[in-house]
Each structure stands twice: as C-alpha cells, then as structure tokens.
Amino acid sequence: MTERVGSDTRERLITAAADLIAASPGEDFSLRAVCDAVGVKMPTLYHFFGSKQGLIDAVIEHGFDLYLGEKASMENSGDPIQDIRAGWDAHVAFGLENPGFYTLMYGKVRPGYSPAAQSRPSEILRGLTAEAAKQGRLVVPSEQAAAHILAANIGVTLRQIILAQADQELSRAMREATIAAITGTGTSRGGPLAAAIEVAAANADVLGPSETQLLIEWLSRLNRSSSIS
C-alpha cells in the first residue's frame, strides 16, 4: 500500500471512520479498515488522533457539525416555544436519519463525561428557554426547562433508534407533554392565560405570525399583571 499523506489526511480519516459507522450503526469499526480506506498506515492515524477514542471524539464532532448545519438552515419563527418544537422535531429526524452518528453523540455513556461538542446544541436550547423565561412563558427556571427538554428529546429518539422504527405519534405526545410541563399549560401553576398563550403559539398559522406574536404579547402582559396582583 502506498501511503498518501496530505494536508487533508486528518479529514479523510474522519470521513472514512464516519462512513464505516454510518454503514453499520451501533457496531464497532476497525482502525485498520479506516487506514486502508484512506491509504495510510496506522502510525499516521495515531499521529493525528492519539488513540481510537481520539478518532471517535473527532467523528462525534463531525456528527455535531452535520446536526448544527441542518439546524442553521431552519428558519427562526420569532417564538421560542415554537422554535423548541421545531428543534425537537429536527433532533428526532437527525437521529433517525443518522443512527450511527447519533448513538455516538448521545448513546455512548461514560459516567462523568460529556463530549465537548454536546455543549453547542445545548447552548442553542438554553438560549430559547432563556427567551421563553424572559417572556414569562415558563413555570420552571430556564436551565431546568432546557435539561427537561433535552432529556426527553434524547430518550424518545434513542427509543425509536432501538426499535428501528419511527413513531411520530409518540414523539409528538412526548414533545407536547414536555412543553406542557415547562410552561404549566393545563395546570394550576400556569393558569388559563398561560394555556391561551401556548394554544396561540401552537396554532400560529390560524392568525398568521405577526398577529399571533401580538396576541402572545398581550396575553403575556395580562399574565404578568395578574401574577403580580
């Protein structure tokens, strides 16, 4: 085998490993197979990654790059709860379309360890829950809301991957139950105004985006006023 080492060798090794993982989700892969696919020898791989785990970490980073690239193409609705709904659905869709990447990103658990790349989508989610809290839409702290959403979202995605079957009804039910829990919709903690706000947000196509946002703003003012009094 003639070794082909160039400036792009590291990226080609990551791509080769990612291709092997995508072809056989959940199964181990051979470093030798990765090297053969790229046309390099094992010392070259160790030079770039240090170990097999180093290569896996690089593949996880690559998976998050793909995931965030898809999220970046999503249009911001201007409503944080609606964007949480859209983000939930995008998360599930990515997991079902890329089970090999997803199980590395979220399914491989080491106590006390979280891949650094996981912080990037978590920051986006925390930004949305912080905005929802600012609007008076949450009945729990924004950090708790983000943790609640992420735990439920990962759980429902992994279940569908394990069963190798999409279950949109389950995902939708889990999504709405999670949103109800953090917004207080349908409970005494949230009250009727909070429920009305979330009904309006979930049906923005009825009034249109601008009218819906105006209604939410009015209802939020009334909700804040009633809670103060």
Side-chain angles (χ1 to χ4, degrees):
M1 178 179 67
T2 301
E3 186 161 350
R4 300 172 307 194
V5 180
S7 59
D8 64 339
T9 298
R10 184 179 186 277
E11 294 305 313
R12 291 193 293 120
L13 286 165
I14 293 172
T15 300
D19 289 343
L20 289 171
I21 290 167
S24 302
E27 296 183 13
D28 197 11
F29 65 93
S30 161
L31 293 183
R32 178 69 61 190
V34 174
C35 290
D36 288 347
V38 177
V40 299
K41 297 178 181 178
M42 292 285 283
T44 300
L45 185 147
Y46 285 109
H47 166 74
F48 284 111
F49 304 104
S51 65
K52 185 172 186 177
Q53 186 58 51
L55 175 59
I56 290 172
D57 289 343
V59 172
I60 291 173
E61 184 83 24
H62 176 67
F64 276 106
D65 286 342
L66 290 177
Y67 174 49
L68 291 172
E70 292 184 5
K71 286 182 74 70
S73 66
M74 295 170 55
E75 186 175 349
N76 189 319
S77 72
D79 181 277
I81 301 298
Q82 281 301 89
D83 287 341
I84 287 170
R85 280 190 173 91
W88 176 292
D89 292 344
H91 183 110
V92 173
F94 179 85
L96 294 179
E97 292 167 6
N98 303 277
F101 284 139
Y102 191 88
T103 51
L104 280 180
M105 291 160 64
Y106 290 110
K108 300 289 186 181
V109 178
R110 281 188 280 162
Y113 171 77
S114 175
Q118 278 189 7
S119 65
R120 292 188 286 157
S122 296
E123 280 298 316
I124 295 172
L125 177 58
R126 282 194 289 269
L128 290 173
T129 56
E131 180 60 28
K134 190 185 300 183
Q135 294 181 11
R137 307 273 292 278
L138 302 182
V139 294
V140 297
S142 63
E143 287 283 340
Q144 181 181 333
H148 191 154
I149 294 162
L150 190 58
N153 208 178
I154 292 171
V156 78
T157 305
L158 285 174
R159 175 174 173 77
Q160 292 175 85
I161 290 174
I162 290 168
L163 297 178
Q165 182 178 352
D167 190 337
Q168 293 183 353
E169 185 175 343
L170 172 65
S171 182
R172 190 179 303 111
M174 283 287 292
R175 183 192 69 198
E176 294 309 309
T178 301
I179 289 174
I182 66 173
T183 61
T185 306
T187 70
S188 59
R189 294 183 70 189
L193 285 172
I197 289 169
E198 300 315 323
V199 169
N203 296 275
D205 57 322
V206 176
L207 296 178
S210 299
E211 291 80 359
T212 299
Q213 281 302 109
L214 184 59
L215 176 59
I216 288 172
E217 183 180 342
W218 288 344
L219 290 171
S220 296
R221 287 183 189 176
L222 287 171
N223 199 27
R224 288 192 294 269
S225 175
S226 63
S227 63
I228 293 173
S229 59

